[in-house]
Structures are given as structure tokens and as C-alpha cells.
Amino acid sequence: MPKGEIRTVCKIDFDKPADQQTCLHNRWHPDIPFAGTIKDGETVKIECIDWTGGQIKNDDCADDIKNIDLTKPHYLSGPFEIEGAQPGDILLVEIMDVQPFPDRPWGFTGIFDRRNGGGFLDEIYPSAAKAIWDFEGIYATSRHIPHVKFAGLIHPGILGCAPSAELLATWNKREGELIAANRLDRDVALPPQPINVHAGSADGELKAKIGREGARTIPGRPEHGGNCDIKNLSRGSKVYLPVHVPGAKFSVGDLHFSQGDGEISFCGAIEMAGIITINFKVIKDGMAKMGLKSPIYIPGPVEPQFGPGRYIYFEGFSVDEHGKQHYMDVTTAYRQTTLRCIEYLRRFGYDDYQSYLLLSCAPVQGHVAGIVDIPNACTTLGLPMDIFDFDISPAAAAALGEKGTGLDMGRCAFESGKTEGVVDREAGKNSEFSFGGGLTYKQ
Amino acid sequence: MPKGEIRTVCKIDFDKPADQQTCLHNRWHPDIPFAGTIKDGETVKIECIDWTGGQIKNDDCADDIKNIDLTKPHYLSGPFEIEGAQPGDILLVEIMDVQPFPDRPWGFTGIFDRRNGGGFLDEIYPSAAKAIWDFEGIYATSRHIPHVKFAGLIHPGILGCAPSAELLATWNKREGELIAANRLDRDVALPPQPINVHAGSADGELKAKIGREGARTIPGRPEHGGNCDIKNLSRGSKVYLPVHVPGAKFSVGDLHFSQGDGEISFCGAIEMAGIITINFKVIKDGMAKMGLKSPIYIPGPVEPQFGPGRYIYFEGFSVDEHGKQHYMDVTTAYRQTTLRCIEYLRRFGYDDYQSYLLLSCAPVQGHVAGIVDIPNACTTLGLPMDIFDFDISPAAAAALGEKGTGLDMGRCAFESGKTEGVVDREAGKNSEFSFGGGLTYKQ
Amino acid sequence: MPKGEIRTVCKIDFDKPADQQTCLHNRWHPDIPFAGTIKDGETVKIECIDWTGGQIKNDDCADDIKNIDLTKPHYLSGPFEIEGAQPGDILLVEIMDVQPFPDRPWGFTGIFDRRNGGGFLDEIYPSAAKAIWDFEGIYATSRHIPHVKFAGLIHPGILGCAPSAELLATWNKREGELIAANRLDRDVALPPQPINVHAGSADGELKAKIGREGARTIPGRPEHGGNCDIKNLSRGSKVYLPVHVPGAKFSVGDLHFSQGDGEISFCGAIEMAGIITINFKVIKDGMAKMGLKSPIYIPGPVEPQFGPGRYIYFEGFSVDEHGKQHYMDVTTAYRQTTLRCIEYLRRFGYDDYQSYLLLSCAPVQGHVAGIVDIPNACTTLGLPMDIFDFDISPAAAAALGEKGTGLDMGRCAFESGKTEGVVDREAGKNSEFSFGGGLTYKQ
Amino acid sequence: MPKGEIRTVCKIDFDKPADQQTCLHNRWHPDIPFAGTIKDGETVKIECIDWTGGQIKNDDCADDIKNIDLTKPHYLSGPFEIEGAQPGDILLVEIMDVQPFPDRPWGFTGIFDRRNGGGFLDEIYPSAAKAIWDFEGIYATSRHIPHVKFAGLIHPGILGCAPSAELLATWNKREGELIAANRLDRDVALPPQPINVHAGSADGELKAKIGREGARTIPGRPEHGGNCDIKNLSRGSKVYLPVHVPGAKFSVGDLHFSQGDGEISFCGAIEMAGIITINFKVIKDGMAKMGLKSPIYIPGPVEPQFGPGRYIYFEGFSVDEHGKQHYMDVTTAYRQTTLRCIEYLRRFGYDDYQSYLLLSCAPVQGHVAGIVDIPNACTTLGLPMDIFDFDISPAAAAALGEKGTGLDMGRCAFESGKTEGVVDREAGKNSEFSFGGGLTYKQ
């Protein structure tokens, strides 16, 4: 009894706007109509558009990044009915494969303008920038970040089941309180946004309701996962997802050819359109049986492997770039860790914006190291040396003389007319992001 | 020309108090006298006492943990003069080996009392607790956490060079400002502490000065590393350390047989006395040549390896155990991640305190996953399934019926007269540390 | 400057016989006309038919295996002209990807009848048998070998450049001498075979000449590689191939979804049609510069990884199944090693033919262990435990009682009308392939 | 209840000849008296002398290798009584650790003279040679093979339980038949050797009997393992050994700091004296329950790991160095594979004898690749690039000009008065071990 070809449950039409395709949607809401039905135990292919819905072009100018309309993303494929799934069940999602479309072998990494999206280091790097990546089989390279090639740790940035009405209300309340209390000069969360709502096949009042209530797809959330952006949730992974509504209403999207831990530039993975192949199984009453409040997962077996001795690990602590001591703040520590790496890469000729893009999308390892030694949290970031086609080891760094590597590192894409991004040295004060006032020893 | 036996530059006398041994010290200060001299290029053995200086006993009662004197630790071996090292150089430290003493094949993991030390989860688990670990070659087991065995990812929790007077002043100012601004009902940093100062061979006014000014060893600090508690800085690792004073004044200690990312219970690694073998090389003018503001390192090649598919990864987000939404707070996210794992292990019969201890010291992988999707940071924690001698897979969890595993999980050590620790359910509100108000579905 | 879609240089037409497709051929000969041209530095896709040219069906009967026409295989795609390549150069072949055709998600593993092809264990297992494998993304499963699933270590069994006329003459002489000296009751090599020659677009006298002289594709050969069947030459691998004729005349085929070390049943990999993506680079004068007499390669980074502790290793020595001592014979040792594994798997309910098929195609590790301790060579075979969905560990084996696993292991496909294969216990004498006369201890 | 220090059951006295130490022996025989008793479940330390019993010196002359007395080795520690073990049981041996003696941090690798011991490549390299290795923690380096450093994959070359009288008779008959039939101009097996017998505490007639009947320790044998020389049987490994006599009579020795697959130069590992820590468990009736005819093992978790892309793999086929075609001969194929690697290393300045020594002891991976494509078996040998402190990649090889690497590679130790070894170019005919008559292309 030969098995046949695997069924495709969602087809993307690249000649049509994303918001006219009924198997896509861009909000989390229990009332978005099913986009299709999948059997318990079935394996299907699901086509996905890139998270922006096609706003970004394969060119050498970052205007599209700078002017992106962030009321639209993410466009997700679904929601799908998984036969038999009921609230309280666990949906076991096994990712059998993720691939780009054969005729669209490219993706993009972007740094958003600080005033439109921003990112983890936007106080220091406020400009928009972009790198285009070309795919050849398992490998990606970029004309905007030369001398780098790496195998994709390909994965979906988003997967999850729809919230129940009760859970959605919890989300809106919880995030609304944060917004209400906000004293920062930046958005801290995104409330429901009726503009540019795409609710699949819903229209009229139902669509309007979804717009008023529907949760944005930007953050991941503990009760269902969603936009968790876990780089290792790649081919072969098994994810255990809580089910909150009858039929599960599973959605997936935001495919990444590769991502580094943190996805620091926000549009930071190698974002792409592609095809994900998934097997679905329902574990009846799994939430109670397994005691899960958030998703868990088991990685697949085919991650790129470099050997531990092929990483350079950078260390960062919760003292910020102004020399200010924070209390056990892992976020601050990780920011410092990424800055240490950007500084290191400078001596090989990379521009800071190139490195910021690279750390966002290359398979860098971000670890919590020490989290109890007051007042300093410590984190580490592992940069694989083998993604570069020249030697970036500490020994090579120490041996570099005045002449540097002699390699042409080109530049990434900036907004029209610009050939470099702004570095806000005041924000990254004390020259070169140093802390503690410029320790420089002369002998 | 045969090489001879490797020289030992610091010998521990276990019959003498730690503060009477002149090759030990417990503060960071540039004026602590050299405890010995090591040549550029030399490999030496350095004996180290456990970080508490011998306060903890190999028994089944946690009174020693509860009543620990935290003005004393860490006792470090050194400071050693590295010949030729000058401020601005980088000291390349290659860790050739770390071993426990053959006649002291044991270590301890402790949870400090919330009022004396505390830890990452002390609001929920305020009691003192302890687990003793026995070493047989590469493996550790504990009578206090049965059915677990793992190979040590053995490493020093602390290594670094002494600060200059200028750098020490920066530290004291920076941390003093945090202390001055503190509104929390807990210590946020530890100022210099003249009590129980041990300054090596220094005494009299010099010792008093070191007590007044010397930085505590508890936190790691960006400019020199120190107590970074990086679990992968194990056998074979190369660390690049900034030098701030003539001769480097290198110190090392706080040896760990094993540790999990975060070392969450504070006394959380498997703490031990032992012997570290190190090769030292000086990279002249390395700070400028390599552009290092914080240490970097390259891991060694002999880390225990399980295969990616042998980890269960737990996900956590920056919504706390009271259901409150935090803004991009990785610390909160990692706390939730650890709680998800503790909840999971309950169904196999482990007490929360056992799991808290286990996550502190077993080689769990703590990753920053997504750090840009406002308002939720997402972190993951990977628990290796193969350290258990029974099946803890999600499939096993789902299949467990009323009877559980049938295994006797014993208990960890608590203070005298107690057989269990306190769980503050009010702190971990909404019962069982849930967020969002008890999502429970019945069918 | 966006890169476009990757060019496909050879398209397979599944509606046409293999020997009517001019971009295929089935002999090695310098005069086979070019099937296309590829630039130095170019990446192309090359479609390949399965090695038998479509003789094997996706069904449950092994008649096709039993009656296979072995004068036909292998059908290779090519030969391609690599622009600029000259004799003495090295062709650097980087395997960017290998994939099955999306609409043909299956492959086969066969055991040939001893009288038509045979295999490594044909004296003991002389019957034809077959297993069909279904592909879902990175994973393969088989209805003929239940309870097994594994990620493919996908690779080409054959790649190489055409021999020069001189080299071809050397091959024919060398193998002809072996055939002439043969005293065994079996073929020891295959001379040129004019029947069923397919020489690409050549016909008439040229085709006849190729038939008379052309080397068979069955063996790999040291000077060019060819059918080396190296399982780890998978995605991301770089192979350095000697060039013997102008334009290189590169051919590739015999795609395998997976294979075990040794490919022991001959048709032993998971054989499939598929698409290989390759980047080509010419290293001028590389043979002299690099001193290569045979190909070398560097594996890619995405091999499935299980962790060393997730393999059971079987040991075998050069004492054969009749108890006869051989002198340093690795071939005999490896045969014993595979038999030890087959015996082990019996207790979990697998039939010997199923295990023989499984060891041929699953990613088992075959190592030379000791090769100098006269008279016994020792080899090992590592079986990954995680490809089974039940516990096959030694602890599980020891715990199995009379009832066994209780799992239904089904059966593989045999010739029509047969439900099991022959086991020649006389050939595998002393029953159960034992050596040394039945060591059985009763207590 | 603290556990105490681990008991040592065999102490080596380096001031006394090996054959005067009653816990050592150098033959396999069921009547060698017990050297000590170990409980079922106990972990003990066992000290071991190097396999030659101390014949090799830490100096720069290979006379000791050339003149070694091979009637003496191996000196094994034991045999130990394992309480409760009976014929038919399986002894589960878990290797908790292997370490050199702290005050003897060195080992040796030797190439035996062709007329006294020989080795895998002795027809081409007939001279005696030696390299001394110095240990610093996990790493070994050699003054005789500069610019190489690697972490030890430390293991015992020999472990096993004594044969029963019946099994011993089988061995002697089986190997005696091979000797009787020998037509080669070299030893093919070693019969019992009454000279230099060391039978532990046995003397008089018992010792004489053991000398007449006792099996030599050189070969491993399928029924008990013995000298299997499996490099990955390192720290953390579990070995399942058949028991043939009451009390098991377990012996262990031939400790290796490191070894490559094949241990090709015979005295090819880094041979050392040291201490092995083992846990013993008896599996009652295990041979029948588990169906084991030869040992099986599960590797430990702490093997050095380089990443697959950090190996260069050499390919070899069963065409010998005289251009002669052999039939499916893996032994020949592996010999060619090692020669390809030696040739490759020449261009970096290593002498063939240095490379022969290096391939014997460094952690090279020897794989059976294809074993069914008549007439050519194919094997591969993976050389880890990261054990060299300079770049040996194919790219580096291709880029090397006339000047080479510029590094001083020194030389290994030869017999007194000699500074180089003989290369028998007639044996490795057709110049430089080529096959097929000197394929050299000029353009």
C-alpha cells in the first residue's frame, strides 16, 4: 500500500496580495474561520508567505525596511482544524521539514528604523538596514555581508493554537495594564489594532470584532507559544502545544532560514516564504496529564554542528554601555554581550550594522551563564568561527597588524542615498560602548 | 628531554582554617601580595578549597547551609604573579584539567535560606536545602536526588586578574550607586566588608585597607571576568583575560564539578575542593590588539554530549507567576522557564526542592530565544533526558497513570528536624505558579 | 543584483525509459558525449533516476529485486563539461543539497538473490527481499520494518570524473587479471558488458566501442572515486575529485536517502530518484599541488547526531561463522559484527531479513577498531538506539521475558508466494552463526 | 551516609619488575589465581602498568622499541574475582575514569622493526621508531611530532574475563590450524609461549601449565573481547562481557591515552601506565537473556568532539600499492587509505614515520564505507584538522607554494645513530605508493 504524495493544505499565490488570501490571517482570535481540516495523525504541507506579507524586496536599498507597515504582520497560514482536538488536549506537532520555495531562493534580514519598529540595539544603531541572503541548498550567503556562509537552522518563528475567548481577554487585560503603566519613550506592547486586519475568510462584523479584540502576533505568549522565535525548533523537532478551542485552530508562519539566539534586530532572522511539512497528533487531555502550562519541545537531530571548540564565546554583564550598574538584569547583560561581539568583528573589517545583522540571523548561541551573583547577571554569546571563510580566531585577531585582513567587506543596504547607518555614540556613550570610563593601558 | 611532573603552586591544608592559608584570599584588591610566581608559558597545578572555605559538611542536614557565614566566601587561590604580564596585556589561560581531590570525592549543592543568601526562586522556595554528590570518575550521583547520574562539566566558577586601584574605585562607585538607590526589600549588591577579610599574607594596615576597599567576590564583573559561572568553561577551554596590574595577580577558585546554566540556587553548582591545571601565556598589548573589554573564551572539546534530540526544552516568557506582564524581561522569562521544568518533574515524584537543586547543578542548557517581540522575552531551558535512569520523555509523562513511576525519590536535606521545605504559594500565586488564572479544560 | 533560480542541467522524464534519455549513461568511458556544460564556480541542480533506472516498484513483492537486470545499472546523470577543467586539475564539488522528488516520496532497499547479485551476507541469507521506505521531510519509515524512523543522511552513492583512455585501460587490465585468476564460485569483478549499454547521446560505432571498453559502474575505483558509497558524503560536503579528461566529464547518480556503513545488502541504501544541487570549482593543477591520488572529502555540518551514548556497539573479529580463524581479515570481522547485531535484534521480534535490510540503510557506524593484533582484526558496528520507537538498550534486552516486546513487527517483502526468506544454517553453521562450538552455560 | 574514598585493588610498584608483582599476569588462562575480590555493584580503582611492563624509556632513541621482548606483553592487572559471577552471566563493566599516574605524565607510541613485531605498514616502513608524548591534563603533545596537540580519548586496550578450559582449547586449536597452514613469510598468530610467562601468584607446575596452555594476550578474541583496542571505549563507557569461569576472573590493562582506529603501528596507541576506575555489576544468566556471543558496549558521553566539517576524509580501495586488484579486501583498502593520508601530510613537512605514528595514536576515524561493490571495498579515514596548530585544510594544501609551511617539524626517534627510517620503495612500488602507473598530467 504505497503512500501517496503529501497533501498541501495552504497554497500561497504570490500574484495576489496577502490580505486577499483566505488561508492567511494576521491576528490571534478564536473566531477566525478554519482555513482547512487536518486529520489526527496526518502529515501535510503548509505554504507560508514571509512574515511581512511580501513588503520587502530583493534589492540593495533599505527603504522598504524603513517604511514597513507594521500593522500588517505577521501573516500566518491557518487556522487549521485538527480533527478531534478539544480544549485541554495537547497537540503534538512534529516538524518534518521546512524549505524555501524552489523558485524563491532568497530571504532578508532587516534592522528597523528606531522610530518604526526598532530592535534590541536601537539606541545605538537607529538606522534602517537590510541584508539579502541567497540560498543554495542548505547554505545561505549574502552580497551584503561577504565572506560568510552557513547552513540554515531552518524553522518557523511562529506556531500555536488559537486562544479561547477567555484566554484572549486575559492577554488583552495583561498587556493593557503594561501599556497603561508605561513611562518609557517607546511602545512596550501592541494593543489590538483594527487597521489592516486580515481575518482569513471572515468579513463584515466578524472581521471588525476580530480587529477590535484580536491579539497581535508580535509577542509570543506563555499559554500557547506563538511567536517564540526559538532557533532550534527546526527540522525534526516535536512541539507540544496546549489546545484552547475545539479543533485547535493551529496556525504557523514567520519561516526563518536561520536565526541567532535573541533574533536581536527584530526583523532579525533570515525571513522567507516557504513550505513547512508537519505531522499532527492529538494527545487527549494532555494538559492535565503532562501538566503543561507552556509549550515544550524536543529538538530535531539535524542541527548544524561545529564542535564546541569552534565557537568564540563573548561574555556580558548587567553593567550597561553608560557604565551604570543594573540589578540582575539579563536583558542588559545580553545587550552587552552582543556589543562585545560587534566590537570584536570590527577589526576584521565588518561595519557595525553588518555585524548587528549577522548576529541576528547566524546560528549564534546565547546562554544564560550566571543569574544569582548579585548584582551582575552574566550571559554568553557563542559565535561559530566556521561560518567565515577567513580566520576570525582570537589568535588571528591578535596577529592582525595595521593592514587588517585585506578583504573587501562591502556594505549592507541602507535607505536611499545613504551608504552608512548612524551610530549614536552618545547613546553608546563613553566611547565605543565601554563601561567604566575607558580602560586603556599603555606600556 | 623528558618533561617532569607538573609543579603545584598552591597546596591546600585541610587541617587548617582557610583564612590561615596564605595562598588563599577572599577579596579582589590590587594590593593583596603575590602567593607565587608562574612563568609565561608554564603549566602548573593549583589546589583550591571549596568556595565556602569548608563550611559545608558531607551529611544529611542543611543547617550548615542555612547558617552559612557569607562574609567569608569565596576563598580563591592566588593571586599569582605571571612573569612579564603588564596592564594592557591579555592573559591566555588554558584549562588543561580540573579534578576533585582523590580522597575527597564529593561535593554539595545548596539552596540558601531566603534571609541568608537566597537564590533565583527564593520567593517561592524560601527554605534552606542541600544535596550531597558523590563522585566516581567522571560521574556524580546523590543520595538526596536518586535516579540521576551525570558526567561532570567540571570548571572553575571564578578566574580573573586583580583590578587596578582605578578599576576597583570604579566598581565600588558603580555598585555603591545601585545600593544607594535600592528600594527593594533585599540586598542588591554587597559593598566592601571588613569582617572576615582574608588578604593572603597581608596583615595589619594593609589587610585593613584591603578590607575597607576590596571588592567582594560574589559578582562577576565585565572588566575582568571573576565569578562568571560559565558552565562550559571546562577542561580544554581557553580564556582571554584582561590584565590590569603588573604581574597580572591571577586568582582562581570556586571549582564546580557541574553546573546548569544560571546556577539558579546560588550555591547551585556541585561545589567542591579540587585541583585545576592551567597553562598561562601572555599576549603583549592584547587588550588593544584584540579589542577586548570583557573576557572571551573558546570551550574545550570534551563536553558531555547527548544529541539534540535527547533534551526536553521548556519555554518561559516575561509574564510572572502572578500573571503580571513585564516588558522584555529576560530574568523573569528565565524564572518562568525554570518553574515550568520543576512542575514537569513533579509528576515523576521529585519534590520541588530536589528539582530546584537539580536544575542548579545538572548540565541544563539555558538559552535566550527571542528578545525583540514586545513585550515578551522568551527563554528556553534544555533538560537532558539521559541523566535520569528512567524515562522522563513527554511520551512517558503522558502515559503515567495514577500510580506514577513507582520509584522512591527520597528527599534532599533540610534544616534539623525538618523533612520538607516551605513552598510559599502566595508568592507563587494562582496556585502552582500559574499565570493567567488557571486554564483548566474539562471535556 | 539578485541571484536567480538555480539552473537544472539534467531533467528526468519518468515516462520514458532510462536508456532513451540522453543525459543519462551507464558506463565509464572518456568518449561518452557531454550531456551539458557547467561554468567554473556555478551551482546547478542535477536530476537523477534511481540506480536501477526504474526497475523496482513501490509494492509488497520482491520479484523485481529477484529478477533485476544487473547489466543496466547504474544510470548516472552526465557526463557534464566543467568549463576550464583539464587533466591534472582537481574538481571541487560542494554538495549543496540532495532531495527526493516531491511527487516521488519513497525509496527502496533490496537484498539480491544470491544467484543474481548477492550481497555481503548472501551465504547465510540467499533470498531476495525488499523494503519500501516512505519519506516525510527529513524522515523515512517503512511498512516492511515497523517501529523504526530515522532522518536521512542523504547523499549520492556515485560521483566522479570520467577516466582517460589510459586510465580505463589500466582498470580493465587490473580487473581482468583478477577475473582470470578467480577460483571462487562467484563473480569477483565485472568486465565490460556490451549488453544494455547506454552511452548518452552516442550511438553506432561509438556506442559499440563504449560497450566493449567501458568500465562498469559497480565498483568505486581509487583514481576517480565513482561508486564509493560513503554515507557521510551528504549535504554540505566538499569532495576533491581528480580530473582525467578535458572538461572533466563529471557524472553523478545512485542517490541514497540513507545508508549504513558498508551498505551490506548491496542494493542496501534507501535507493531513490532525486535532485542534487552542486557547486563546482576547478583547482588548477590540483593533483600535483595537493598530491591527491584518490578523492578526499570534508563532511557537511548537518549530519543527524545522536550522542555517543545512544549507540550500541557490536564487536566482531576475524573468526568466521564456521569457527575458522582468518588472518587479519577485516572483511570477515565486519561480517561477524553485522551478524552479532542481527542476532541481537531477533529478541525484539525482527526477522533476520528485516535486520539485514535495516543495517544496510540505517545510519549505522562501521569502524575499524584494531587491525594489528595477529591474527584477529576487530571491527565495531554502532546501532543508534533512537531510530526505534521502543527501547532496544541492553538493559531492555536483559529485562525482556518470555512475552517479548508485544509489538507486531510485520515482515519485509519476499518473492511472490513467499512470506519468509531462506536462512542457510549450514552456511551459517553451528546454528545461529556461532563460532567455537556453542558456548552455552547453565547454572 | 557519606561514601568513602574509592578502594584500589591493585597497586603497581614501579621499583619492582612487572613479573614480580602478583596482581599482574601476561597470559589468558582459567587457572591463574585471583588477584583480589570485588563485590557485585562495587566501584574500584585498578592500577595498570604499561603493556610492555616498563620496557620503553622516555628518551629520544628507539633502540628499546627495536629490541623489545615480545614474549612478555601484555602485563594485565588481575584476574579479579567478581563476587557471584558464574559462567553464562554477563559482567557489566562501567568505566568511570582512566587517568595516567600524576607523577608519570607521559606515554609512548612505537613502530616496531619489521623483524620484531612489525605493523600494518611494515612492508613499506620497516624501521623501528618512537614518539614520546607528554600529558598536561586532557592534552598530549610530543617533542617528536611538533605542532600537534589533542585531547586524549583515554581507554583500556584490553579488558575481558578469563576463558574456560574448554574455550581456551578452542582458541588454541583454532589459531594452531592457522599457524599450521601458514605460507606467508611472517607470523600469523602466536601459540602459547612458555618463556617469560607471568601467571600472577602461580608458580611451580601450575605456572608451567599456564605457560604451556595459556593464550597470548596479543589478539582480541570474539568470545571474551580481550585486546579489542576500541578507541571509543573510553570514560563513561559500559561494556557487557561474557563470563566463562566462576568469579569471572576479570583482567584489564594496556591503557591508552589515545588511539586512532586501527592502531596501525601495532605499538600504536599512546601507551601508558595508569589508573582505571571501574564499576562492576553482574547480570545473571545474561548470555542467554541478551544473546551475546561477543561483547557489546555503549560509549561514554565525553568523547572529544570536533564537528563533522573539521575532518579531512581520505578514501582507499582494495587496489594495493603495486597496482594489484584484490577482491573485496577491506584490510587492503584500509592500508591504502592510511597511505593516502601519509602522502597528504608530507606536503606540510612531516616525515612518513611521524605520520605513521600520528595516525596510530591520534583520534582518527576509520570507517568501512562500501563493502559490496565488487571488486573494490572502500574505506575512509577521517583526520581531525583541529589537532594541528596550523592549517592543514585542502585549501591550505592547494595554496602552499615552494616554501611550504616554514615550520620546523623535527623528527621522531629512531635507533641509535640513525636520524631517519628506511622507506622500502620497492615494497611501496610505482613510486610513492601509487597504483595504476603514475597518473601525472601536465598542461
Side-chain angles (χ1 to χ4, degrees), chain D residues 169-188:
Chain D
T170 299
W171 290 355
N172 282 332
K173 177 167 183 295
R174 186 165 78 194
E175 294 171 21
E177 291 170 354
L178 181 74
I179 294 169
N182 181 26
R183 299 289 174 270
L184 298 176
D185 180 27
R186 60 188 306 158
D187 288 340
V188 293

Coordinates of all heavy atoms in Angstrom, one line a residue, chain D residues 169-188:
Chain D
A169 N 40.9 -24.2 24.9 CA 41.2 -25.3 24.0 C 40.8 -24.9 22.6 O 41.5 -25.2 21.6 CB 40.6 -26.6 24.4
T170 N 39.6 -24.4 22.5 CA 39.1 -23.9 21.2 C 40.0 -22.9 20.6 O 40.3 -23.0 19.4 CB 37.7 -23.3 21.4 OG1 36.8 -24.3 21.9 CG2 37.1 -22.8 20.0
W171 N 40.4 -21.9 21.4 CA 41.3 -20.9 20.9 C 42.6 -21.5 20.3 O 43.1 -21.2 19.2 CB 41.7 -19.9 22.0 CG 40.6 -19.0 22.4 CD1 39.3 -18.9 21.9 CD2 40.6 -18.1 23.5 NE1 38.6 -18.0 22.6 CE2 39.4 -17.4 23.6 CE3 41.6 -17.7 24.4 CZ2 39.1 -16.5 24.5 CZ3 41.3 -16.7 25.4 CH2 40.0 -16.1 25.4
N172 N 43.2 -22.4 21.2 CA 44.5 -22.9 20.8 C 44.4 -23.8 19.5 O 45.2 -23.7 18.6 CB 45.1 -23.8 21.9 CG 45.7 -22.8 23.0 OD1 46.1 -21.7 22.7 ND2 45.7 -23.3 24.2
K173 N 43.3 -24.5 19.4 CA 43.1 -25.3 18.2 C 42.9 -24.4 17.0 O 43.5 -24.6 15.9 CB 41.8 -26.2 18.4 CG 41.4 -27.1 17.2 CD 40.4 -28.1 17.6 CE 40.0 -29.0 16.5 NZ 39.3 -28.4 15.3
R174 N 42.0 -23.4 17.1 CA 41.7 -22.5 16.0 C 42.9 -21.8 15.5 O 43.1 -21.7 14.3 CB 40.6 -21.6 16.5 CG 40.0 -20.7 15.6 CD 38.7 -20.1 16.2 NE 39.1 -19.0 17.2 CZ 38.2 -18.5 18.1 NH1 37.0 -19.0 18.2 NH2 38.5 -17.5 18.9
E175 N 43.6 -21.3 16.4 CA 44.8 -20.5 16.0 C 45.9 -21.4 15.6 O 46.7 -21.1 14.7 CB 45.2 -19.5 17.1 CG 44.2 -18.5 17.3 CD 44.4 -17.6 18.6 OE1 45.5 -17.5 19.0 OE2 43.4 -17.0 19.0
G176 N 46.0 -22.6 16.2 CA 47.0 -23.6 15.8 C 46.8 -24.0 14.3 O 47.8 -24.2 13.6
E177 N 45.6 -24.1 13.9 CA 45.3 -24.5 12.5 C 45.8 -23.4 11.5 O 46.3 -23.7 10.5 CB 43.8 -24.8 12.3 CG 43.4 -26.1 13.0 CD 41.9 -26.3 13.1 OE1 41.2 -25.4 12.6 OE2 41.5 -27.4 13.5
L178 N 45.6 -22.2 11.9 CA 46.0 -21.1 11.1 C 47.6 -21.1 11.0 O 48.1 -21.0 9.9 CB 45.6 -19.8 11.7 CG 46.0 -18.5 10.9 CD1 45.1 -18.4 9.6 CD2 45.8 -17.3 11.7
I179 N 48.2 -21.3 12.1 CA 49.7 -21.4 12.1 C 50.2 -22.5 11.2 O 51.1 -22.4 10.4 CB 50.2 -21.5 13.5 CG1 49.9 -20.2 14.3 CG2 51.7 -21.8 13.5 CD1 50.1 -20.3 15.8
A180 N 49.5 -23.7 11.4 CA 49.9 -24.9 10.6 C 49.8 -24.6 9.1 O 50.6 -25.1 8.3 CB 49.1 -26.1 11.0
A181 N 48.8 -23.9 8.7 CA 48.5 -23.7 7.3 C 49.3 -22.5 6.7 O 49.2 -22.2 5.5 CB 47.0 -23.5 7.1
N182 N 50.0 -21.8 7.5 CA 50.7 -20.6 7.1 C 51.7 -20.8 6.0 O 52.6 -21.6 6.1 CB 51.3 -19.9 8.3 CG 52.0 -18.6 7.9 OD1 51.6 -17.9 7.0 ND2 53.0 -18.2 8.7
R183 N 51.6 -20.0 5.0 CA 52.6 -20.0 3.9 C 53.2 -18.6 3.7 O 54.0 -18.4 2.9 CB 51.9 -20.3 2.5 CG 51.2 -21.7 2.5 CD 52.3 -22.8 2.4 NE 51.6 -24.2 2.5 CZ 51.4 -24.8 3.7 NH1 51.7 -24.2 4.8 NH2 50.8 -26.0 3.7
L184 N 52.8 -17.7 4.6 CA 53.4 -16.3 4.5 C 54.7 -16.3 5.2 O 55.0 -17.1 6.0 CB 52.5 -15.3 5.2 CG 51.1 -15.1 4.6 CD1 50.3 -14.2 5.5 CD2 51.2 -14.6 3.2
D185 N 55.5 -15.3 4.8 CA 56.8 -15.2 5.4 C 56.8 -14.3 6.6 O 57.5 -13.4 6.8 CB 57.8 -14.6 4.3 CG 59.2 -14.4 4.9 OD1 59.6 -15.1 5.8 OD2 59.9 -13.4 4.4
R186 N 55.8 -14.6 7.4 CA 55.7 -13.9 8.7 C 54.8 -14.6 9.6 O 54.0 -15.5 9.2 CB 55.1 -12.5 8.4 CG 53.7 -12.4 7.8 CD 53.4 -11.0 7.4 NE 53.5 -10.1 8.5 CZ 53.7 -8.8 8.5 NH1 53.7 -8.2 7.3 NH2 53.8 -8.1 9.6
D187 N 54.9 -14.3 10.9 CA 54.0 -14.9 11.9 C 52.5 -14.5 11.6 O 52.2 -13.4 11.3 CB 54.3 -14.5 13.3 CG 55.6 -15.1 13.8 OD1 56.0 -16.1 13.2 OD2 56.2 -14.5 14.7
V188 N 51.6 -15.5 11.7 CA 50.2 -15.2 11.5 C 49.4 -15.3 12.8 O 48.3 -14.8 12.9 CB 49.6 -16.0 10.4 CG1 50.1 -15.7 9.1 CG2 49.7 -17.5 10.7

